[in-house]
Amino acid sequence: MSVLIIQGKHCGFPKYSGEQNTVNNGEYMIKTENLTKEYNEKNAVDNLNLEVGDGEVFGFLGPNGAGKSTTILMLTGMIEPTSGICTIDGVNVALNPLKGKEILGYLPEDVGFYRNLTGYENLDYLGKFYPIEKNEREERIERLLKSVRLNGVTQKVGEYSRGMNQRLGLALALLNDPKVVILDEPTANLDPEGVLRYREIIKELEQEGKTVLICSHILSEVRAVCTTLGIISQGRLVAKGSVEEVEDELIRQSGTRQKIVIKSINPDLYTEVESIKNPDILEIERTKDGIEISVEKDIRPILAEKLKNHCSGITEMYLDRPGLEDLFLKVYRRE
Ligand SMILES: Nc1ncnc2c1ncn2[C@@H]1O[C@H](COP(=O)(O)OP(=O)(O)OP(=O)(O)O)[C@@H](O)[C@H]1O
């Protein structure tokens, strides 16, 4: 998806109807209700119900063609839903895209800028579309360019590397000091130093209480910065929760076993664990230096508590399960 923010060809905002267009969302900053987008009689997004709370850093994941970009285009008011609604901080963005733009900062996958202007000139020109005083705008531009390490760069954007272009895109997404930030593949073109700085910026946004939705295929990156994750597949939300909860769900969907491995010289360990009645324990196996417990979810704190008085011979206890990337591949390779 290649988008020029504000003036690009994809900015075909639906007209503001003047209807009542805010709803009470409780604490949700991003909310979709039965959000559907149909293309060629097929639902790219299919009755999607998504809720992202105030201050969450939410990772929005899914295999190719799952409907992520289509969802983001609806959240940013760039395309209209076929049915259902989406709100940002209670604002129905399809009915009031201009209000939505005040609340929202958006970094598209390929952000387009004016090639014959510098980074500063681009931000200054595009920043004039926001209701920000000149002095405030200039101060923010200086600060944001410094934040993305582009301060003092006098090159025209046409001479920027892809990474520099993406960093400028992040600065633009934050220019209106948005409550909600949507980032589409924000690290795709960044070098390792750029990725580190990006992570710091996300931490800063989190500390400022912003709500951030990050769409990325780089799962290790998502895992590093996101407090919650959601997985969309065939236009529907199939898992949502903390990273651990989503991993648990993928383990379930993939039929993978996760194990708690306990190393111990204590011969009574097997019997001790067998006596613990916990529905998340599926199977216990003896190994040459301890036991392996197949579990529904990570119950190490419970085991540690139950075993603390009995099994002084425990030398090691760890969870053995595939990471998010492996699980994702297992579940979605067939799609
Ligand atoms: N403008 C369009 N016209 C017709 N079909 C479309 C259009 N945009 C998207 N689609 C279809 O909708 C489905 C979802 O596409 P979308 O781009 O939202 O997926 P995605 O999750 O962002 O994928 P990727 O990870 O590859 O970017 C796909 O089947 C795609 O072919």
Side-chain angles (χ1 to χ4, degrees):
M1 175 174 56
S2 176
V3 180
L4 175 62
I5 297 181
I6 300 178
Q7 292 221 315
K9 65 188 167 88
H10 289 280
C11 295
F13 291 129
K15 285 200 173 57
Y16 174 38
S17 70
E19 290 171 36
Q20 174 64 32
N21 45 43
T22 58
V23 291
N24 183 6
N25 258 345
E27 72 275 31
Y28 296 119
M29 290 301 280
I30 300 174
K31 186 171 165 72
T32 72
E33 281 175 66
N34 297 321
L35 187 67
T36 299
K37 183 70 187 178
E38 188 184 306
Y39 287 122
N40 309 325
E41 296 176 7
K42 198 168 165 266
N43 286 346
V45 174
D46 188 8
N47 283 291
L48 180 71
N49 291 301
L50 179 69
E51 288 159 346
V52 181
D54 195 1
E56 266 182 56
V57 179
F58 179 75
F60 192 42
L61 311 175
N64 288 139
K68 302 179 295 295
S69 299
T70 308
T71 303
I72 287 177
L73 288 174
M74 289 190 278
L75 290 175
T76 51
M78 292 184 179
I79 60 171
E80 276 185 278
T82 306
S83 60
I85 58 170
C86 54
T87 55
I88 304 286
D89 193 18
V91 173
N92 184 329
V93 286
L95 295 178
N96 194 352
L98 294 179
K99 181 75 187 155
K101 281 184 73 64
E102 278 176 28
I103 310 164
L104 198 67
Y106 172 46
L107 170 67
E109 196 174 347
D110 286 314
V111 55
F113 285 106
Y114 297 99
R115 293 172 57 79
N116 58 345
L117 299 181
T118 64
Y120 186 100
E121 288 164 348
N122 264 285
L123 295 192
D124 191 48
Y125 176 70
L126 296 168
K128 287 176 185 157
F129 289 86
Y130 295 119
I132 315 169
E133 292 294 327
K134 184 172 183 288
N135 288 350
E136 169 71 5
R137 185 177 70 243
E138 288 172 357
E139 186 275 320
R140 277 193 207 172
I141 293 172
E142 294 285 0
R143 186 167 42 79
L144 286 166
L145 285 177
K146 201 165 170 199
S147 181
V148 298
R149 308 278 192 260
L150 286 173
N151 53 319
V153 175
T154 52
Q155 275 166 283
K156 306 259 191 262
V157 167
E159 296 161 15
Y160 270 22
S161 69
R162 284 189 303 167
M164 290 165 83
N165 202 68
Q166 194 156 34
R167 284 188 277 143
L168 187 62
L170 182 57
L172 177 59
L174 303 178
L175 188 55
N176 59 336
D177 193 23
K179 279 188 187 173
V180 177
V181 185
I182 295 183
L183 307 174
D184 198 355
E185 296 292 347
T187 57
N189 300 311
L190 300 184
D191 64 14
E193 198 192 334
V195 170
L196 281 183
R197 183 60 204 133
Y198 152 83
R199 285 188 192 178
E200 287 167 3
I201 292 172
I202 300 298
K203 267 278 163 273
E204 288 161 15
L205 293 173
E206 189 181 4
Q207 280 159 6
E208 289 165 22
K210 311 279 192 203
T211 304
V212 186
L213 182 147
I214 301 168
C215 183
S216 176
H217 287 115
I218 307 173
L219 300 190
S220 55
E221 211 38 65
V222 172
R223 207 182 190 295
V225 296
C226 293
T227 48
T228 47
L229 299 181
I231 296 187
I232 183 174
S233 173
Q234 297 177 352
R236 285 174 171 263
L237 197 68
V238 292
K240 183 174 184 274
S242 66
V243 176
E244 288 71 25
E245 284 166 344
V246 167
E247 284 179 350
D248 280 341
E249 178 57 27
L250 291 180
I251 282 173
R252 204 189 55 72
Q253 287 182 22
S254 64
T256 310
R257 278 279 173 103
Q258 57 181 327
K259 289 174 178 174
I260 294 173
V261 179
I262 304 181
K263 304 255 166 109
S264 170
I265 47 160
N266 189 333
D268 297 331
L269 179 64
Y270 184 96
T271 327
E272 289 293 342
V273 173
E274 215 178 18
S275 70
I276 298 171
K277 296 292 167 231
N278 186 304
D280 292 319
I281 296 179
L282 303 174
E283 196 181 350
I284 311 165
E285 276 176 272
R286 287 183 204 275
T287 60
K288 63 178 187 331
D289 53 0
I291 58 169
E292 287 183 358
I293 312 164
S294 295
V295 285
E296 198 71 56
K297 62 182 189 209
D298 185 9
I299 54 162
R300 279 176 296 170
I302 297 170
L303 288 177
E305 181 59 30
K306 298 262 187 205
L307 298 174
K308 72 177 179 203
N309 297 325
H310 305 281
C311 294
S312 55
I314 292 179
T315 53
E316 207 179 341
M317 183 191 303
Y318 61 87
L319 185 67
D320 179 14
R321 70 173 186 180
L324 188 59
E325 263 145 349
D326 288 339
L327 289 167
F328 197 84
L329 276 174
K330 274 197 167 125
V331 176
Y332 297 108
R333 185 173 273 157
R334 58 181 166 267
E335 283 191 4

